[in-house]
Amino acid sequence: GQNIDQPTEMTATEGAIVQINCTYQTSGFNGLFWYQQHAGEAPTFLSYNVLDGLEEKGRFSSFLSRSKGYSYLLLKELQMKDSASYLCAVRDTGGSYIPTFGRGTSLIVHP
Amino acid sequence: ETGVTQTPRHLVMGMTNKKSLKCEQHLGHNAMYWYKQSAKKPLELMFVYNFKEQTENNSVPSRFSPECPNSSHLFLHLHTLQPEDSALYLCASSHRDNEQFFGPGTRLTVL
């Protein structure tokens, strides 16, 4: 299995940049997902990393370092609507292709 | 709209009741999942179906009984639940090992 750690809560200001970290321990890494979940809504897919480096998608970017067991989600030009929970999920090579989710980071964006 | 629908959105039931949760996906995916989401805890995988066959049962108590009549529909039958089963129950689907698409969930309260 995996041990996934991410901060419980973060706050940031509208227009700023915020970085949400995720560290993991796994016997065989096979991909990392980031999802966004607004209160009372479904989690929605944001990004997938399986190789080291930065993946950019508009205002959101995700970074992976497999050697360090570390990923981050970078949100630029924060908007109020970015207030949500951000879930990190890690998949290993242990046979099941299904990722294990972390507890999620609740991001509060204030004016 | 993620292409995954769930009904009902809210459910209150007594410990002796029997109820069912329904999930439907319109995405042509071959895999469907049930997750339990409780406050302050990671998403917990309950059941997985691939091409209508159950491939994972994550040590879920028998008071939860899944049913997958075809690749587009998934049910979770509930009976003699406990108050600690109160949570958000999320359904998801995916095409093989790609990202998962989640439904909005059923908020379940067991009295």
Side-chain angles (χ1 to χ4, degrees), chain A residues 14-104:
Chain A
E14 193 175 16
I17 298 173
V18 72
Q19 178 175 309
I20 301 173
N21 296 327
C22 173
T23 58
Y24 62 88
Q25 295 169 330
T26 181
S27 52
F29 177 81
N30 192 24
L32 185 145
F33 299 81
W34 283 98
Y35 287 83
Q36 178 192 59
Q37 185 179 22
H38 286 100
E41 297 184 15
T44 54
F45 170 75
L46 290 177
S47 67
Y48 174 67
N49 295 69
V50 67
L51 299 176
D52 290 350
L54 189 68
E55 295 277 345
E56 297 188 73
K57 271 188 190 180
R59 293 189 299 115
F60 291 11
S61 304
S62 58
F63 171 83
L64 175 68
S65 169
R66 288 172 296 171
S67 61
K68 294 181 180 176
Y70 168 68
S71 173
Y72 67 71
L73 182 69
L74 192 71
L75 290 73
K76 302 177 188 173
E77 301 167 20
L78 279 174
Q79 302 174 11
M80 299 296 289
K81 67 177 183 179
D82 296 330
S83 294
S85 185
Y86 292 85
L87 311 178
C88 172
V90 176
R91 180 165 61 196
D92 68 19
T93 55
S96 171
Y97 63 87
I98 302 164
T100 298
F101 284 82
R103 293 172 188 272

Side-chain angles (χ1 to χ4, degrees), chain B residues 56-93:
Chain B
E56 287 201 38
N57 174 342
N58 246 14
S59 304
V60 180
S62 59
R63 58 186 183 269
F64 295 91
S65 172
E67 178 190 1
C68 189
N70 55 60
S71 294
S72 299
H73 294 85
L74 186 64
F75 294 89
L76 188 63
H77 304 299
L78 316 171
H79 63 98
T80 58
L81 294 192
Q82 306 297 311
E84 60 264 29
D85 297 322
S86 298
L88 182 68
Y89 289 84
L90 290 164
C91 172
S93 70

Side-chain angles (χ1 to χ4, degrees), chain B:
Chain B
E1 285 292 332
T2 62
V4 181
T5 58
Q6 291 186 244
T7 55
R9 295 293 308 274
H10 300 271
L11 178 63
V12 180
M13 58 188 289
M15 289 191 283
T16 57
N17 291 159
K18 287 185 181 181
K19 297 286 185 184
S20 295
L21 309 184
K22 179 182 175 183
C23 175
E24 185 173 358
Q25 57 98 359
H26 311 272
L27 302 168
H29 290 162
N30 56 283
M32 295 188 78
Y33 314 78
W34 279 117
Y35 284 90
K36 176 183 179 182
Q37 188 174 38
S38 305
K40 312 284 187 198
K41 294 174 81 171
L43 277 174
E44 298 172 48
L45 181 67
M46 299 175 72
F47 301 104
V48 182
Y49 280 82
N50 268 293
F51 293 104
K52 303 187 300 176
E53 298 298 318
Q54 185 176 317
T55 54
E56 287 201 38
N57 174 342
N58 246 14
S59 304
V60 180
S62 59
R63 58 186 183 269
F64 295 91
S65 172
E67 178 190 1
C68 189
N70 55 60
S71 294
S72 299
H73 294 85
L74 186 64
F75 294 89
L76 188 63
H77 304 299
L78 316 171
H79 63 98
T80 58
L81 294 192
Q82 306 297 311
E84 60 264 29
D85 297 322
S86 298
L88 182 68
Y89 289 84
L90 290 164
C91 172
S93 70
S94 72
H95 176 65
R96 297 174 62 86
D97 60 353
N98 292 342
E99 72 272 19
Q100 292 165 304
F101 289 74
F102 286 84
T106 295
R107 174 67 62 185
L108 174 67
T109 303
V110 182
L111 302 175

